[in-house]
Short mmCIF file of all heavy atoms in Angstrom, two decimals:
data_model
loop_
_atom_site.label_atom_id
_atom_site.label_comp_id
_atom_site.label_asym_id
_atom_site.label_seq_id
_atom_site.Cartn_x
_atom_site.Cartn_y
_atom_site.Cartn_z
N PRO J 1 -0.54 -7.64 0.66
CA PRO J 1 -0.95 -6.19 0.63
C PRO J 1 0.04 -5.10 0.98
O PRO J 1 -0.35 -3.96 1.22
CB PRO J 1 -2.13 -6.34 1.71
CG PRO J 1 -1.58 -7.33 2.66
CD PRO J 1 -0.81 -8.36 1.83
N GLU J 2 1.40 -5.51 1.00
CA GLU J 2 2.33 -4.40 1.24
C GLU J 2 2.47 -3.59 0.07
O GLU J 2 2.27 -4.10 -1.10
CB GLU J 2 3.65 -5.04 1.68
CG GLU J 2 3.53 -5.80 3.01
CD GLU J 2 4.93 -6.38 3.50
OE1 GLU J 2 5.95 -5.96 2.87
OE2 GLU J 2 4.90 -7.23 4.39
N ALA J 3 2.93 -2.35 0.18
CA ALA J 3 3.10 -1.46 -0.96
C ALA J 3 4.17 -0.38 -0.53
O ALA J 3 4.63 -0.34 0.64
CB ALA J 3 1.76 -0.79 -1.33
N ILE J 4 4.56 0.38 -1.50
CA ILE J 4 5.54 1.53 -1.18
C ILE J 4 4.72 2.84 -1.24
O ILE J 4 4.02 3.01 -2.19
CB ILE J 4 6.66 1.56 -2.19
CG1 ILE J 4 7.43 0.23 -2.20
CG2 ILE J 4 7.57 2.68 -1.95
CD1 ILE J 4 8.54 0.17 -3.29
N TRP J 5 4.89 3.66 -0.17
CA TRP J 5 4.16 4.90 -0.09
C TRP J 5 5.11 6.04 -0.33
O TRP J 5 6.20 6.13 0.27
CB TRP J 5 3.45 5.04 1.34
CG TRP J 5 2.88 6.33 1.53
CD1 TRP J 5 1.73 6.77 0.92
CD2 TRP J 5 3.12 7.30 2.54
NE1 TRP J 5 1.30 8.05 1.38
CE2 TRP J 5 2.12 8.37 2.39
CE3 TRP J 5 4.06 7.42 3.54
CZ2 TRP J 5 2.16 9.50 3.21
CZ3 TRP J 5 4.08 8.53 4.38
CH2 TRP J 5 3.10 9.51 4.21
N TYR J 6 4.69 6.89 -1.32
CA TYR J 6 5.54 8.19 -1.56
C TYR J 6 4.88 9.25 -0.87
O TYR J 6 3.93 9.90 -1.36
CB TYR J 6 5.57 8.36 -3.15
CG TYR J 6 6.45 7.38 -3.75
CD1 TYR J 6 6.11 6.05 -4.00
CD2 TYR J 6 7.72 7.73 -4.19
CE1 TYR J 6 6.94 5.13 -4.66
CE2 TYR J 6 8.65 6.88 -4.89
CZ TYR J 6 8.19 5.53 -5.09
OH TYR J 6 9.00 4.72 -5.72
N GLY J 7 5.34 9.50 0.42
CA GLY J 7 4.79 10.57 1.20
C GLY J 7 5.34 11.93 0.83
O GLY J 7 6.27 12.07 0.01
N PRO J 8 4.87 13.05 1.44
CA PRO J 8 5.42 14.33 1.22
C PRO J 8 6.86 14.53 1.61
O PRO J 8 7.55 15.40 0.99
CB PRO J 8 4.45 15.29 1.91
CG PRO J 8 3.87 14.40 2.98
CD PRO J 8 3.80 13.02 2.42
N TYR J 9 7.30 13.80 2.60
CA TYR J 9 8.68 13.93 3.14
C TYR J 9 9.47 12.67 3.09
O TYR J 9 10.74 12.77 3.29
CB TYR J 9 8.60 14.50 4.50
CG TYR J 9 7.75 15.77 4.65
CD1 TYR J 9 6.49 15.63 5.33
CD2 TYR J 9 8.11 16.95 4.06
CE1 TYR J 9 5.75 16.84 5.55
CE2 TYR J 9 7.35 18.07 4.16
CZ TYR J 9 6.11 17.95 4.86
OH TYR J 9 5.31 19.10 4.92
N ASN J 10 8.82 11.51 2.82
CA ASN J 10 9.65 10.28 2.84
C ASN J 10 8.94 9.27 1.97
O ASN J 10 7.82 9.35 1.49
CB ASN J 10 9.78 9.84 4.28
CG ASN J 10 8.49 9.50 4.87
OD1 ASN J 10 7.41 9.91 4.47
ND2 ASN J 10 8.52 8.70 5.99
N ILE J 11 9.73 8.20 1.74
CA ILE J 11 9.20 7.04 1.02
C ILE J 11 9.38 5.82 1.87
O ILE J 11 10.47 5.57 2.49
CB ILE J 11 10.02 6.73 -0.32
CG1 ILE J 11 9.89 8.00 -1.22
CG2 ILE J 11 9.54 5.57 -1.06
CD1 ILE J 11 10.80 7.92 -2.43
N LYS J 12 8.35 5.01 2.07
CA LYS J 12 8.45 3.82 3.01
C LYS J 12 7.46 2.76 2.64
O LYS J 12 6.53 2.96 1.88
CB LYS J 12 8.22 4.33 4.40
CG LYS J 12 6.86 4.82 4.77
CD LYS J 12 6.73 5.28 6.16
CE LYS J 12 5.36 5.74 6.55
NZ LYS J 12 5.23 6.04 7.98
N ASN J 13 7.68 1.68 3.26
CA ASN J 13 6.81 0.50 3.04
C ASN J 13 5.64 0.65 3.96
O ASN J 13 5.73 0.99 5.13
CB ASN J 13 7.50 -0.80 3.41
CG ASN J 13 8.63 -1.11 2.37
OD1 ASN J 13 8.47 -0.87 1.16
ND2 ASN J 13 9.79 -1.62 2.84
N ILE J 14 4.40 0.31 3.41
CA ILE J 14 3.20 0.32 4.13
C ILE J 14 2.39 -0.90 3.92
O ILE J 14 2.68 -1.67 3.03
CB ILE J 14 2.37 1.60 3.87
CG1 ILE J 14 2.09 1.64 2.39
CG2 ILE J 14 3.08 2.84 4.36
CD1 ILE J 14 0.74 1.28 1.84
N VAL J 15 1.36 -1.22 4.81
CA VAL J 15 0.37 -2.31 4.54
C VAL J 15 -0.96 -1.58 4.09
O VAL J 15 -1.51 -0.78 4.81
CB VAL J 15 0.19 -3.17 5.75
CG1 VAL J 15 -0.90 -4.22 5.54
CG2 VAL J 15 1.42 -3.84 6.21
N ASN J 16 -1.39 -2.09 2.99
CA ASN J 16 -2.70 -1.41 2.43
C ASN J 16 -3.84 -2.26 2.90
O ASN J 16 -4.10 -3.47 2.70
CB ASN J 16 -2.61 -1.57 0.89
CG ASN J 16 -3.74 -0.90 0.23
OD1 ASN J 16 -4.75 -0.58 0.80
ND2 ASN J 16 -3.67 -0.72 -1.14
N TRP J 17 -4.71 -1.58 3.74
CA TRP J 17 -5.89 -2.16 4.29
C TRP J 17 -7.15 -1.63 3.67
O TRP J 17 -8.28 -1.86 4.14
CB TRP J 17 -5.98 -1.82 5.83
CG TRP J 17 -5.13 -2.71 6.61
CD1 TRP J 17 -3.82 -2.53 7.14
CD2 TRP J 17 -5.51 -4.09 7.04
NE1 TRP J 17 -3.37 -3.63 7.81
CE2 TRP J 17 -4.38 -4.66 7.76
CE3 TRP J 17 -6.63 -4.86 6.81
CZ2 TRP J 17 -4.45 -5.84 8.37
CZ3 TRP J 17 -6.61 -6.12 7.42
CH2 TRP J 17 -5.62 -6.61 8.16
N CYS J 18 -7.09 -1.01 2.47
CA CYS J 18 -8.30 -0.46 1.86
C CYS J 18 -8.48 -0.75 0.40
O CYS J 18 -9.28 -0.11 -0.33
CB CYS J 18 -8.39 1.03 2.17
SG CYS J 18 -6.99 2.00 1.53
N SER J 19 -7.67 -1.73 -0.11
CA SER J 19 -7.72 -1.98 -1.49
C SER J 19 -8.94 -2.82 -1.86
O SER J 19 -9.42 -3.62 -1.09
CB SER J 19 -6.47 -2.88 -1.90
OG SER J 19 -6.60 -3.24 -3.27
N ASN J 20 -9.52 -2.44 -3.03
CA ASN J 20 -10.65 -3.29 -3.62
C ASN J 20 -10.18 -4.48 -4.27
O ASN J 20 -10.99 -5.22 -4.90
CB ASN J 20 -11.49 -2.44 -4.53
CG ASN J 20 -12.37 -1.43 -3.72
OD1 ASN J 20 -12.69 -1.73 -2.60
ND2 ASN J 20 -12.88 -0.45 -4.38
N ASP J 21 -8.95 -4.72 -4.34
CA ASP J 21 -8.42 -6.05 -4.94
C ASP J 21 -8.58 -7.00 -3.82
O ASP J 21 -7.60 -7.56 -3.20
CB ASP J 21 -6.80 -5.88 -5.22
CG ASP J 21 -6.31 -7.03 -5.97
OD1 ASP J 21 -7.01 -7.98 -6.33
OD2 ASP J 21 -5.10 -7.04 -6.31
N TYR J 22 -9.87 -7.47 -3.60
CA TYR J 22 -10.27 -8.15 -2.40
C TYR J 22 -9.61 -9.45 -2.24
O TYR J 22 -9.51 -9.89 -1.10
CB TYR J 22 -11.85 -8.26 -2.47
CG TYR J 22 -12.60 -7.03 -2.25
CD1 TYR J 22 -13.60 -6.70 -3.16
CD2 TYR J 22 -12.49 -6.24 -1.09
CE1 TYR J 22 -14.41 -5.58 -2.96
CE2 TYR J 22 -13.17 -5.10 -0.96
CZ TYR J 22 -14.13 -4.74 -1.87
OH TYR J 22 -14.97 -3.67 -1.65
N LEU J 23 -9.28 -10.20 -3.37
CA LEU J 23 -8.72 -11.49 -3.19
C LEU J 23 -7.25 -11.56 -3.67
O LEU J 23 -6.67 -12.59 -3.64
CB LEU J 23 -9.56 -12.45 -4.02
CG LEU J 23 -11.07 -12.64 -3.70
CD1 LEU J 23 -11.75 -13.50 -4.58
CD2 LEU J 23 -11.18 -12.99 -2.15
N GLY J 24 -6.70 -10.40 -3.95
CA GLY J 24 -5.31 -10.33 -4.34
C GLY J 24 -5.06 -10.91 -5.76
O GLY J 24 -3.86 -11.15 -6.18
N MET J 25 -6.11 -10.93 -6.56
CA MET J 25 -5.94 -11.48 -7.92
C MET J 25 -5.08 -10.66 -8.79
O MET J 25 -4.64 -10.99 -9.88
CB MET J 25 -7.26 -11.86 -8.48
CG MET J 25 -8.09 -13.00 -7.86
SD MET J 25 -7.04 -14.52 -7.89
CE MET J 25 -7.05 -14.84 -9.62
N GLY J 26 -5.06 -9.29 -8.47
CA GLY J 26 -4.26 -8.36 -9.30
C GLY J 26 -2.77 -8.70 -9.32
O GLY J 26 -1.98 -8.21 -10.11
N GLN J 27 -2.39 -9.62 -8.28
CA GLN J 27 -1.00 -10.01 -8.24
C GLN J 27 -0.80 -11.47 -8.62
O GLN J 27 0.39 -12.03 -8.49
CB GLN J 27 -0.53 -9.80 -6.74
CG GLN J 27 -0.82 -8.45 -6.18
CD GLN J 27 0.40 -7.53 -6.47
OE1 GLN J 27 1.55 -7.84 -6.12
NE2 GLN J 27 0.19 -6.39 -7.06
#
């Protein structure tokens, strides 16, 4: 569930806790 976040001032790695890809099958 890690992803890259493109924020207003920076780009960084985050952990996604709200995805509906409930079982990770999209990966």
Side-chain angles (χ1 to χ4, degrees):
E2 295 183 16
I4 300 172
W5 178 61
Y6 287 76
Y9 308 110
N10 62 344
I11 301 171
K12 63 178 183 176
N13 294 321
I14 53 101
V15 177
N16 188 345
W17 277 99
C18 57
S19 174
N20 282 339
D21 189 0
Y22 289 128
L23 302 178
M25 291 303 294
Q27 307 272 303

